[in-house]
Amino acid sequence: MNKDSLFEMIQLKNVTQIYWDLSVAELYEQAIKRHEALLSASGSLVFHTGQYKGRTPKDKFIVKDQQTTEQVDWGKINQPFDPLSYKRLKSKILSYLQDRDLFIQRCYACSNPNHRINLWILSEGPIYSLFSRNLFLVEKDPEKRKHLLPDFILIHTPGFRADPETDKTQSGAFIILNFDEKMILIGGTGYAGEIKKAVFTVLNFLLPQKGVFPMHCSANFGKDPQDSAIFFGLSGTGKTTLSIDSTRKLIGDDEHGWDDSGVFNFEGGCYAKVIRISKEGEPEIYQAALRFGTILENVIINPQTREIDFNDESLTENTRAAFPIESIPNASNQLAGGHPKNIIMLCCDAFGVLPPVAKLNPEQAIYYFLLGYTAKIAGTEAGIQEPTAVFSPCFGSPFLPLSPKTYARMFKEKIEKHKPNVWLLNTGWTGGAYGIGKRIALETSRRLVRAILSGELAKADFVDEQYFHFSIPQSCSDIPTEILHPSKSWKDLSQYEKKARELQALFAQNYHALSLA
């Protein structure tokens, strides 16, 4: 299929100019010329996303057709979209693109060639073309790239807003996946993360059918690629920060597959949160955020000096840096490793009752994987006055088209076969709940991760935690004992017990709801 026949197939016509696979420098020139972005003093490119500064799950749909009707886990997360409404909306988008310039990046997902998904990402803006080039994998050979035909096409039109009444959307923004046409439509939102997570959702639908376990996790390995580790976690728990370690090779920071050969990255880049990032605390990400080629999303920049202020949260707490993974000095060239020897499940417990580290048996590992617990903190969202428990099954429910039980079953099969050590790591509060206690220091979390990955912690003596029955190490070098045992760090033991019972009840309630689903 050539370009003309492809455009004929999707009925795209009368585009003013098509920019194919522009280089980073060319995309910089186009974004600045079109006033989409500002060049920072360090060389990174800064842009703001307008109304939407994060994902809008209520605006995401899957076309309900013969293929998806029986397979998709329909509900509030996976909302059905009528094929006829999809056809009408797609026609309106293609009309909107007439007499406009179009930027196309041909890239792919999955570093493992056995599972490669070729992508054509069509956008009206060069900044999103650069985002796609940074986040996904790019064929280095230009001749091969020219002939890269798509397994999926993504059409991205942030300037086109839907009419909810006639287009059957929830708002002017929409993310619609069509598995029959192998197409994704995204419009009405300038938040670039929707592109990344839409492709992740596609992979979470397709790969389990091939026996590949898709995971919302970061991954790295030690001196030997067979010494790999994965870090499950929701946003804000430290997934990217803790997996980037100068003594280990980074496989990837967010999305991976686990097949019969081991773990492999879905992507070719990182999408790191950078609010209040510092050179001292997270040097690798900090340096990558300042590099030429990096996109900074919703970060504040001085319009005269072009200096970046990573501490300014006036637009959003969800500031991001999108950069190729090779911007991290110790990134793996293969973006793959062996079967994990350690699995770390991250949470940010604002109740202050979970231990900073605990060893899980296989039953607890599956239980906690299904729960996917973390907490939202007072002040981060309107209306939240105290810590609020969040349960995202399999650590990624907004991106899972199939039932959580499908992914949990695959997880169970993997850990039963390969027998990794599974750990819970709490990067949240100790000595009291949010507002009373204090956040566990990043260096403490890093020390615990090092103890896990070196094998030191597995040799420790463990005691049973009375409320959740996790196994807590009695000691770990350089870590105060009272931090390892939350009940010892609270001044008021009765308040600790009250909060522990409260969280224990929430665990049981949410697990029961999942069991009945």
Side-chain angles (χ1 to χ4, degrees):
M1 182 190 298
N2 59 32
K3 301 165 196 171
D4 293 336
S5 60
L6 175 71
F7 287 167
E8 185 180 339
M9 181 187 78
I10 63 174
Q11 299 167 348
L12 179 64
K13 10 175 136 165
N14 301 329
V15 174
T16 301
Q17 185 167 348
I18 298 172
Y19 294 93
W20 290 91
D21 302 322
L22 291 191
S23 68
V24 173
E26 289 172 314
L27 288 166
Y28 258 55
E29 290 173 351
Q30 290 289 338
I32 293 168
K33 183 173 75 173
R34 294 161 191 263
H35 306 289
E36 282 191 15
L38 292 176
L39 180 64
S40 78
S42 70
S44 52
L45 204 59
V46 180
F47 86 109
H48 295 164
T49 61
Q51 176 185 354
Y52 296 100
K53 297 170 181 67
R55 291 182 299 100
T56 57
K58 68 181 180 65
D59 295 315
K60 185 176 177 182
F61 302 89
I62 297 175
V63 175
K64 193 168 187 177
D65 54 30
Q66 190 172 0
Q67 182 180 181
T68 57
T69 296
E70 298 300 326
Q71 295 187 60
V72 170
D73 184 32
W74 300 109
K76 289 182 179 179
I77 291 172
N78 297 309
Q79 302 176 94
F81 204 76
D82 173 62
L84 185 57
S85 298
Y86 166 85
K87 185 177 179 181
R88 290 171 179 159
L89 181 58
K90 177 185 163 188
S91 179
K92 288 172 71 172
I93 291 168
L94 296 177
S95 294
Y96 167 83
L97 286 173
Q98 292 191 45
D99 300 321
R100 296 178 187 272
D101 292 345
L102 190 63
F103 295 81
I104 301 178
Q105 283 291 324
R106 288 172 287 197
C107 40
Y108 65 96
C110 296
S111 61
N112 185 322
N114 294 325
H115 312 301
R116 176 169 166 165
I117 303 290
N118 292 334
L119 304 166
W120 276 25
I121 299 178
L122 289 60
S123 182
E124 61 178 309
I127 197 74
Y128 298 101
S129 201
L130 178 56
F131 176 87
S132 301
R133 184 186 176 95
N134 281 354
L135 262 294
F136 298 110
L137 292 152
V138 175
E139 175 59 61
K140 304 299 183 188
D141 184 332
E143 281 306 309
K144 288 182 180 177
R145 201 173 184 205
K146 276 184 191 175
H147 302 288
L148 186 69
L149 294 176
D151 296 308
F152 253 83
I153 297 169
L154 189 154
I155 301 178
H156 181 252
T157 52
F160 174 87
R161 292 185 62 82
D163 177 350
E165 186 174 345
T166 59
D167 296 323
K168 310 304 180 186
T169 57
Q170 300 275 14
S171 73
F174 55 89
I175 306 96
I176 304 174
L177 282 62
N178 188 321
F179 286 97
D180 183 46
E181 279 198 6
K182 295 181 171 47
M183 191 168 289
I184 302 166
L185 304 180
I186 298 177
T189 170
Y191 181 64
E194 297 287 15
I195 297 172
K196 165 188 166 71
K197 291 304 184 186
V199 173
F200 187 38
T201 306
V202 167
L203 295 171
N204 286 330
F205 180 79
L206 297 177
L207 291 181
Q209 298 175 43
K210 299 175 65 178
V212 178
F213 174 39
M215 304 175 291
H216 186 208
C217 71
S218 57
N220 65 24
F221 62 79
K223 293 179 180 178
D224 183 349
Q226 298 308 309
D227 176 26
S228 71
I230 57 178
F231 300 72
F232 286 107
L234 301 172
S235 179
T237 58
K239 194 163 73 271
T240 300
T241 300
L242 293 173
S243 60
I244 295 178
D245 179 338
S246 60
T247 67
R248 295 173 67 84
K249 290 286 188 180
L250 180 68
I251 299 172
D253 82 318
D254 194 50
E255 301 170 7
H256 294 80
W258 186 353
D259 68 0
D260 291 339
S261 61
V263 173
F264 62 93
N265 196 347
F266 288 166
E267 300 178 303
C270 299
Y271 191 46
K273 290 188 81 169
V274 290
I275 190 69
R276 291 179 289 279
I277 195 172
S278 70
K279 185 177 182 179
E280 297 72 30
E282 300 170 77
E284 295 91 352
I285 301 173
Y286 182 85
Q287 293 296 342
L290 297 175
R291 288 182 60 162
F292 175 80
T294 294
I295 300 173
L296 296 177
E297 190 177 56
N298 294 319
V299 171
I300 300 301
I301 182 173
N302 184 303
Q304 280 77 45
T305 66
R306 302 299 176 93
E307 295 291 338
I308 294 161
D309 185 355
F310 286 120
N311 295 313
D312 193 326
E313 60 188 42
S314 57
L315 276 181
T316 178
E317 280 264 336
N318 189 34
T319 58
R320 297 273 181 169
F323 51 84
I325 196 168
E326 54 262 31
S327 297
I328 300 295
N330 59 321
S332 159
N333 292 329
Q334 290 75 33
L335 302 182
H339 301 291
K341 292 185 176 179
N342 288 282
I343 295 175
I344 299 172
M345 296 185 176
L346 300 165
C347 77
C348 175
D349 175 32
F351 291 83
V353 298
L354 291 184
V357 69
K359 196 168 187 295
L360 308 181
N361 64 37
E363 291 74 23
Q364 290 171 331
I366 296 160
Y367 175 85
Y368 201 82
F369 179 74
L370 260 174
L371 285 177
Y373 164 72
T374 194
K376 289 180 181 175
I377 303 161
T380 59
E381 284 189 17
I384 295 180
Q385 302 301 321
E386 59 182 36
T388 302
V390 174
F391 295 89
S392 183
C394 311
F395 295 96
S397 61
F399 326 118
L400 305 181
L402 310 179
S403 165
K405 293 178 183 177
T406 299
Y407 306 99
R409 184 169 59 250
M410 298 185 84
F411 177 65
K412 179 175 184 287
E413 290 169 355
K414 291 294 185 188
I415 63 173
E416 285 179 347
K417 182 175 181 179
H418 299 288
K419 297 180 171 48
N421 287 321
V422 184
W423 307 84
L424 170 70
L425 193 83
N426 173 25
T427 61
W429 269 253
T430 185
Y434 174 79
I436 300 172
K438 61 181 180 179
R439 184 97 189 243
I440 295 169
L442 175 58
E443 189 47 48
T444 297
S445 297
R446 282 188 169 139
R447 172 69 190 97
L448 291 170
V449 169
R450 287 195 293 269
I452 288 171
L453 300 182
S454 69
E456 172 193 341
L457 209 57
K459 298 172 185 175
D461 293 324
F462 292 85
V463 294
D464 183 66
E465 193 280 333
Q466 69 179 105
Y467 290 99
F468 303 93
H469 300 291
F470 302 136
S471 294
I472 302 176
Q474 295 210 56
S475 64
C476 179
S477 58
D478 303 325
I479 303 292
T481 303
E482 64 271 16
I483 291 179
L484 294 174
H485 301 268
S487 61
K488 295 179 181 179
S489 65
W490 282 57
K491 292 180 180 178
D492 187 335
L493 184 59
S494 65
Q495 284 299 309
Y496 165 78
E497 291 171 342
K498 179 183 175 183
K499 282 292 181 186
R501 285 193 293 268
E502 183 182 329
L503 187 57
Q504 184 187 39
L506 287 171
F507 273 36
Q509 176 185 330
N510 279 271
Y511 188 78
H512 180 67
L514 279 168
S515 300
L516 294 177

PDB file of all heavy atoms in Angstrom, residues 394-412:
ATOM      1  N   CYS A 394      -4.800  -3.587  38.917  1.00  0.00           N
ATOM      2  CA  CYS A 394      -3.651  -3.928  38.067  1.00  0.00           C
ATOM      3  C   CYS A 394      -2.758  -2.723  37.808  1.00  0.00           C
ATOM      4  O   CYS A 394      -1.987  -2.702  36.850  1.00  0.00           O
ATOM      5  CB  CYS A 394      -4.098  -4.561  36.752  1.00  0.00           C
ATOM      6  SG  CYS A 394      -5.303  -5.887  36.956  1.00  0.00           S
ATOM      7  N   PHE A 395      -2.881  -1.711  38.677  1.00  0.00           N
ATOM      8  CA  PHE A 395      -2.080  -0.492  38.589  1.00  0.00           C
ATOM      9  C   PHE A 395      -2.270   0.241  37.262  1.00  0.00           C
ATOM     10  O   PHE A 395      -1.370   0.945  36.813  1.00  0.00           O
ATOM     11  CB  PHE A 395      -0.588  -0.797  38.807  1.00  0.00           C
ATOM     12  CG  PHE A 395      -0.275  -1.297  40.188  1.00  0.00           C
ATOM     13  CD1 PHE A 395      -0.179  -2.650  40.441  1.00  0.00           C
ATOM     14  CD2 PHE A 395      -0.106  -0.419  41.237  1.00  0.00           C
ATOM     15  CE1 PHE A 395       0.092  -3.121  41.715  1.00  0.00           C
ATOM     16  CE2 PHE A 395       0.165  -0.875  42.515  1.00  0.00           C
ATOM     17  CZ  PHE A 395       0.268  -2.227  42.761  1.00  0.00           C
ATOM     18  N   GLY A 396      -3.450   0.101  36.656  1.00  0.00           N
ATOM     19  CA  GLY A 396      -3.653   0.804  35.388  1.00  0.00           C
ATOM     20  C   GLY A 396      -5.041   0.646  34.823  1.00  0.00           C
ATOM     21  O   GLY A 396      -5.198   0.555  33.599  1.00  0.00           O
ATOM     22  N   SER A 397      -6.071   0.644  35.665  1.00  0.00           N
ATOM     23  CA  SER A 397      -7.418   0.330  35.170  1.00  0.00           C
ATOM     24  C   SER A 397      -7.918   1.256  34.061  1.00  0.00           C
ATOM     25  O   SER A 397      -8.667   0.804  33.199  1.00  0.00           O
ATOM     26  CB  SER A 397      -8.430   0.308  36.321  1.00  0.00           C
ATOM     27  OG  SER A 397      -8.501   1.567  36.962  1.00  0.00           O
ATOM     28  N   PRO A 398      -7.523   2.561  33.996  1.00  0.00           N
ATOM     29  CA  PRO A 398      -8.030   3.398  32.899  1.00  0.00           C
ATOM     30  C   PRO A 398      -7.561   2.942  31.515  1.00  0.00           C
ATOM     31  O   PRO A 398      -8.098   3.397  30.506  1.00  0.00           O
ATOM     32  CB  PRO A 398      -7.459   4.790  33.222  1.00  0.00           C
ATOM     33  CG  PRO A 398      -7.176   4.773  34.674  1.00  0.00           C
ATOM     34  CD  PRO A 398      -6.755   3.369  34.966  1.00  0.00           C
ATOM     35  N   PHE A 399      -6.542   2.053  31.472  1.00  0.00           N
ATOM     36  CA  PHE A 399      -5.968   1.651  30.183  1.00  0.00           C
ATOM     37  C   PHE A 399      -6.204   0.175  29.884  1.00  0.00           C
ATOM     38  O   PHE A 399      -5.588  -0.372  28.973  1.00  0.00           O
ATOM     39  CB  PHE A 399      -4.459   1.926  30.178  1.00  0.00           C
ATOM     40  CG  PHE A 399      -4.065   3.143  30.960  1.00  0.00           C
ATOM     41  CD1 PHE A 399      -3.232   3.045  32.066  1.00  0.00           C
ATOM     42  CD2 PHE A 399      -4.551   4.394  30.608  1.00  0.00           C
ATOM     43  CE1 PHE A 399      -2.890   4.166  32.809  1.00  0.00           C
ATOM     44  CE2 PHE A 399      -4.208   5.521  31.339  1.00  0.00           C
ATOM     45  CZ  PHE A 399      -3.377   5.411  32.443  1.00  0.00           C
ATOM     46  N   LEU A 400      -7.092  -0.469  30.634  1.00  0.00           N
ATOM     47  CA  LEU A 400      -7.287  -1.916  30.491  1.00  0.00           C
ATOM     48  C   LEU A 400      -8.641  -2.211  29.841  1.00  0.00           C
ATOM     49  O   LEU A 400      -9.676  -2.122  30.502  1.00  0.00           O
ATOM     50  CB  LEU A 400      -7.197  -2.604  31.857  1.00  0.00           C
ATOM     51  CG  LEU A 400      -5.923  -2.351  32.661  1.00  0.00           C
ATOM     52  CD1 LEU A 400      -5.968  -3.124  33.974  1.00  0.00           C
ATOM     53  CD2 LEU A 400      -4.679  -2.712  31.860  1.00  0.00           C
ATOM     54  N   PRO A 401      -8.648  -2.581  28.565  1.00  0.00           N
ATOM     55  CA  PRO A 401      -9.926  -2.868  27.897  1.00  0.00           C
ATOM     56  C   PRO A 401     -10.559  -4.182  28.366  1.00  0.00           C
ATOM     57  O   PRO A 401     -11.760  -4.356  28.242  1.00  0.00           O
ATOM     58  CB  PRO A 401      -9.558  -2.953  26.414  1.00  0.00           C
ATOM     59  CG  PRO A 401      -8.161  -2.482  26.301  1.00  0.00           C
ATOM     60  CD  PRO A 401      -7.527  -2.667  27.632  1.00  0.00           C
ATOM     61  N   LEU A 402      -9.738  -5.115  28.834  1.00  0.00           N
ATOM     62  CA  LEU A 402     -10.250  -6.409  29.268  1.00  0.00           C
ATOM     63  C   LEU A 402     -10.516  -6.385  30.770  1.00  0.00           C
ATOM     64  O   LEU A 402     -10.124  -5.444  31.469  1.00  0.00           O
ATOM     65  CB  LEU A 402      -9.242  -7.515  28.919  1.00  0.00           C
ATOM     66  CG  LEU A 402      -8.719  -7.527  27.480  1.00  0.00           C
ATOM     67  CD1 LEU A 402      -7.703  -8.655  27.290  1.00  0.00           C
ATOM     68  CD2 LEU A 402      -9.867  -7.671  26.488  1.00  0.00           C
ATOM     69  N   SER A 403     -11.155  -7.409  31.271  1.00  0.00           N
ATOM     70  CA  SER A 403     -11.435  -7.496  32.701  1.00  0.00           C
ATOM     71  C   SER A 403     -10.135  -7.524  33.496  1.00  0.00           C
ATOM     72  O   SER A 403      -9.167  -8.187  33.087  1.00  0.00           O
ATOM     73  CB  SER A 403     -12.243  -8.766  32.993  1.00  0.00           C
ATOM     74  OG  SER A 403     -12.239  -9.044  34.378  1.00  0.00           O
ATOM     75  N   PRO A 404     -10.069  -6.836  34.649  1.00  0.00           N
ATOM     76  CA  PRO A 404      -8.868  -6.911  35.492  1.00  0.00           C
ATOM     77  C   PRO A 404      -8.481  -8.344  35.830  1.00  0.00           C
ATOM     78  O   PRO A 404      -7.289  -8.653  35.996  1.00  0.00           O
ATOM     79  CB  PRO A 404      -9.275  -6.139  36.750  1.00  0.00           C
ATOM     80  CG  PRO A 404     -10.311  -5.171  36.281  1.00  0.00           C
ATOM     81  CD  PRO A 404     -11.058  -5.906  35.196  1.00  0.00           C
ATOM     82  N   LYS A 405      -9.466  -9.231  35.894  1.00  0.00           N
ATOM     83  CA  LYS A 405      -9.186 -10.629  36.221  1.00  0.00           C
ATOM     84  C   LYS A 405      -8.323 -11.292  35.144  1.00  0.00           C
ATOM     85  O   LYS A 405      -7.535 -12.198  35.430  1.00  0.00           O
ATOM     86  CB  LYS A 405     -10.484 -11.400  36.402  1.00  0.00           C
ATOM     87  CG  LYS A 405     -11.284 -10.964  37.626  1.00  0.00           C
ATOM     88  CD  LYS A 405     -12.593 -11.723  37.730  1.00  0.00           C
ATOM     89  CE  LYS A 405     -13.422 -11.246  38.907  1.00  0.00           C
ATOM     90  NZ  LYS A 405     -14.724 -11.925  38.987  1.00  0.00           N
ATOM     91  N   THR A 406      -8.442 -10.835  33.899  1.00  0.00           N
ATOM     92  CA  THR A 406      -7.619 -11.371  32.807  1.00  0.00           C
ATOM     93  C   THR A 406      -6.145 -11.079  33.068  1.00  0.00           C
ATOM     94  O   THR A 406      -5.282 -11.961  32.963  1.00  0.00           O
ATOM     95  CB  THR A 406      -8.040 -10.754  31.459  1.00  0.00           C
ATOM     96  OG1 THR A 406      -9.404 -11.085  31.195  1.00  0.00           O
ATOM     97  CG2 THR A 406      -7.170 -11.273  30.318  1.00  0.00           C
ATOM     98  N   TYR A 407      -5.835  -9.823  33.423  1.00  0.00           N
ATOM     99  CA  TYR A 407      -4.455  -9.432  33.679  1.00  0.00           C
ATOM    100  C   TYR A 407      -3.945 -10.060  34.975  1.00  0.00           C
ATOM    101  O   TYR A 407      -2.777 -10.448  35.063  1.00  0.00           O
ATOM    102  CB  TYR A 407      -4.343  -7.912  33.714  1.00  0.00           C
ATOM    103  CG  TYR A 407      -4.906  -7.257  32.476  1.00  0.00           C
ATOM    104  CD1 TYR A 407      -6.197  -6.711  32.481  1.00  0.00           C
ATOM    105  CD2 TYR A 407      -4.181  -7.205  31.295  1.00  0.00           C
ATOM    106  CE1 TYR A 407      -6.728  -6.126  31.348  1.00  0.00           C
ATOM    107  CE2 TYR A 407      -4.712  -6.615  30.148  1.00  0.00           C
ATOM    108  CZ  TYR A 407      -5.991  -6.085  30.186  1.00  0.00           C
ATOM    109  OH  TYR A 407      -6.531  -5.504  29.053  1.00  0.00           O
ATOM    110  N   ALA A 408      -4.825 -10.166  35.985  1.00  0.00           N
ATOM    111  CA  ALA A 408      -4.428 -10.785  37.256  1.00  0.00           C
ATOM    112  C   ALA A 408      -4.096 -12.264  37.049  1.00  0.00           C
ATOM    113  O   ALA A 408      -3.163 -12.792  37.656  1.00  0.00           O
ATOM    114  CB  ALA A 408      -5.541 -10.625  38.284  1.00  0.00           C
ATOM    115  N   ARG A 409      -4.851 -12.928  36.182  1.00  0.00           N
ATOM    116  CA  ARG A 409      -4.569 -14.335  35.883  1.00  0.00           C
ATOM    117  C   ARG A 409      -3.213 -14.488  35.204  1.00  0.00           C
ATOM    118  O   ARG A 409      -2.435 -15.397  35.525  1.00  0.00           O
ATOM    119  CB  ARG A 409      -5.681 -14.907  35.001  1.00  0.00           C
ATOM    120  CG  ARG A 409      -5.532 -16.398  34.710  1.00  0.00           C
ATOM    121  CD  ARG A 409      -6.781 -16.962  34.061  1.00  0.00           C
ATOM    122  NE  ARG A 409      -7.105 -16.310  32.808  1.00  0.00           N
ATOM    123  CZ  ARG A 409      -8.142 -15.500  32.629  1.00  0.00           C
ATOM    124  NH1 ARG A 409      -8.971 -15.241  33.626  1.00  0.00           N
ATOM    125  NH2 ARG A 409      -8.374 -14.944  31.444  1.00  0.00           N
ATOM    126  N   MET A 410      -2.892 -13.575  34.289  1.00  0.00           N
ATOM    127  CA  MET A 410      -1.594 -13.618  33.617  1.00  0.00           C
ATOM    128  C   MET A 410      -0.466 -13.345  34.614  1.00  0.00           C
ATOM    129  O   MET A 410       0.591 -13.995  34.574  1.00  0.00           O
ATOM    130  CB  MET A 410      -1.555 -12.603  32.467  1.00  0.00           C
ATOM    131  CG  MET A 410      -2.586 -12.875  31.382  1.00  0.00           C
ATOM    132  SD  MET A 410      -2.426 -11.763  29.957  1.00  0.00           S
ATOM    133  CE  MET A 410      -1.155 -12.625  29.028  1.00  0.00           C
ATOM    134  N   PHE A 411      -0.685 -12.394  35.513  1.00  0.00           N
ATOM    135  CA  PHE A 411       0.303 -12.093  36.540  1.00  0.00           C
ATOM    136  C   PHE A 411       0.549 -13.311  37.425  1.00  0.00           C
ATOM    137  O   PHE A 411       1.695 -13.662  37.721  1.00  0.00           O
ATOM    138  CB  PHE A 411      -0.186 -10.907  37.374  1.00  0.00           C
ATOM    139  CG  PHE A 411       0.712 -10.541  38.515  1.00  0.00           C
ATOM    140  CD1 PHE A 411       1.992 -10.070  38.293  1.00  0.00           C
ATOM    141  CD2 PHE A 411       0.268 -10.651  39.827  1.00  0.00           C
ATOM    142  CE1 PHE A 411       2.826  -9.728  39.350  1.00  0.00           C
ATOM    143  CE2 PHE A 411       1.085 -10.317  40.896  1.00  0.00           C
ATOM    144  CZ  PHE A 411       2.366  -9.842  40.661  1.00  0.00           C
ATOM    145  N   LYS A 412      -0.532 -13.962  37.820  1.00  0.00           N
ATOM    146  CA  LYS A 412      -0.430 -15.159  38.665  1.00  0.00           C
ATOM    147  C   LYS A 412       0.393 -16.247  37.961  1.00  0.00           C
ATOM    148  O   LYS A 412       1.275 -16.871  38.561  1.00  0.00           O
ATOM    149  CB  LYS A 412      -1.829 -15.675  38.992  1.00  0.00           C
ATOM    150  CG  LYS A 412      -1.886 -16.932  39.848  1.00  0.00           C
ATOM    151  CD  LYS A 412      -3.335 -17.255  40.203  1.00  0.00           C
ATOM    152  CE  LYS A 412      -3.429 -18.450  41.139  1.00  0.00           C
ATOM    153  NZ  LYS A 412      -3.143 -19.720  40.481  1.00  0.00           N
TER     154      LYS A 412
END
